[in-house]
Amino acid sequence: MTTMMTTKKSWKLISCCVVVALLAVAIGCAPKSETTAPAEQAFQVKKLPANAENAGFLHVYSKLEPSAEVEGLLTYKNPDAMKNLHRYVAIIFDPVEIYVQSDDDPSELPKEGAEAAVSYFKYAIKSAISDAFPIVDKPGPLVLRLRTALVGVDVGDQPGEAPDEEGAKALPRKINIGAVRAEFELVDSVTGDVIAAAVDTKEFKSASIGATHFERMARFNEARTAFDEWAEGLRDFLDAAHELKGKDAERADKAYEPYTSF
Amino acid sequence: MASAKPIKRTDIPKGEINPKLWDVRNYRTKGDRVYEQVRHTLALMPYITDFDFISFAMVGDQVILTGWTIRITNRDSARRRVESVEGVGSVTNNIVVLPLGRMDMSIRAQARARLQRHLSRYFWGSGSDIKIIVKNGDIILLGAVTRQADKDIANIQCRTVPGAFHVFNLLRVEPGKEKKG
């Protein structure tokens, strides 16, 4: 009887050991949990270099030319047929870069204000272009990377304004965007080649942001208009770049035949 | 093996389908002024890429748009453009907007690269005579080539695209259309 009990106990002990060993092996073999990547930052703040001709954001400043089709735009289109805008079908957003004036301190730019501005700007761009260039979340073939910058943001001395909108907060400092230039660059998301670029030189003198959710408040209408028009400018540029002209138009017309003719 | 019975006009419930659609004699074709204007306006749509194809049929003053596009704007713009053509009454828009899944995007890019490598004369600055429609891994080739051999090359090249399930080669062979490389 005692022998039987001892045997049972030893079996229990052995099975416990086996279970523990199996667990240890399982834990050892399990893939290591991936470290959570920090949430992608929606924007970066930089300082405009003093006395510089440009912000250094675009790769093609020297090749920009005034657009014949869209007023107030300086544009560039890659002349290589293999790097033509027509060859791409979707867009992925890069974080927006904000360049503050050379006499401003980037750390004084209110973070919540910059977030609100970038968030509305991205919304305006998406509304303006997504039916023609769907927005995707991963790079790949046929996908363009849209690099965007707001150049010349002025961190004012005045404090923000008390918001008249529920849930909005006054900013510690007003952000003036009256002298901002919106710069856009479209690069191949795989190779990094610059496919096109545009700079919108339209100015909205009294545009400023004094509170979060500024887009809902009438007193910041000018800022909202600025973002909307810069986004529209980008769409106009894309439309103009896709318009078929000359020999391309002739060939497209000659080649097109519907499949339902008898 | 059971053979399919032909459908009689009397089998179709009244009012469901326009009876004019059943008779090809009611369709407008090449040479008709309004048909040509509709064709021309669709041919010059700016956002049509190698991966979009919009077709149409015209019965009386009714235009039926069909085809596939990867851009919502093409669907809306095709309707707007056709509606603005003088002589067009109503427009039925059956254009399908294709999803931009990663696999389909990869198939599109690879199919175009292969076709462009082997049949470069059909590709030009901002477009091509060969349209590559990709839907859920299937490739549909549309458009026109000048030789049967080119149609066969297109078929072979697309069949070797990784991830592609089927190739439906609907390319037309039109020897009269000269293509310049």
Side-chain angles (χ1 to χ4, degrees), chain B residues 18-79:
Chain B
N18 183 351
K20 279 185 182 173
L21 296 175
W22 286 88
D23 193 340
V24 292
R25 285 172 299 184
N26 292 322
Y27 282 74
R28 294 202 192 193
T29 54
K30 279 181 195 173
D32 180 275
R33 186 186 58 84
V34 184
Y35 176 93
E36 281 302 327
Q37 279 184 5
V38 171
R39 194 199 64 77
H40 177 73
T41 197
L42 290 175
L44 297 186
M45 278 179 49
Y47 280 103
I48 295 289
T49 63
D50 307 337
F51 312 113
D52 307 283
F53 189 83
I54 291 175
S55 191
F56 73 94
M58 199 170 177
V59 186
D61 67 351
Q62 185 191 359
V63 176
I64 303 159
L65 293 170
T66 52
W68 299 271
T69 180
I70 45 174
R71 289 176 157 134
I72 298 167
T73 190
N74 284 337
R75 190 175 195 277
D76 303 336
S77 158
R79 172 193 278 271

Side-chain angles (χ1 to χ4, degrees), chain A residues 110 154-161 171-176 208-210:
Chain A
D154 175 31
V155 188
D157 297 328
Q158 297 166 316
E161 292 166 46
L171 300 177
R173 276 163 181 266
K174 213 175 199 182
I175 303 171
N176 298 315
S208 65
I209 299 165

Side-chain angles (χ1 to χ4, degrees), chain A residues 147-192:
Chain A
R147 301 178 63 237
T148 312
L150 294 169
V151 179
V153 171
D154 175 31
V155 188
D157 297 328
Q158 297 166 316
E161 292 166 46
D164 44 17
E165 183 76 21
E166 208 177 307
K169 271 171 35 182
L171 300 177
R173 276 163 181 266
K174 213 175 199 182
I175 303 171
N176 298 315
I177 56 169
V180 162
R181 280 162 40 130
E183 299 189 353
F184 304 97
E185 193 168 74
L186 291 156
V187 300
D188 185 307
S189 68
V190 177
T191 63

Side-chain angles (χ1 to χ4, degrees), chain A residues 132 239 248 253 256 259-260, chain B residues 39 47 54-56 71 126 170:
Chain A
D239 285 354
D248 280 358
D253 193 24
Y256 176 62
Y259 265 67
T260 39
Chain B
R39 194 199 64 77
Y47 280 103
I54 291 175
S55 191
F56 73 94
R71 289 176 157 134
S126 40
L170 305 181

Side-chain angles (χ1 to χ4, degrees), chain A residues 8-22:
Chain A
K8 264 188 187 173
K9 269 184 187 170
S10 59
W11 269 114
K12 266 187 186 171
L13 194 68
I14 289 166
S15 43
C16 275
C17 288
V18 169
V19 168
V20 169
L22 281 173

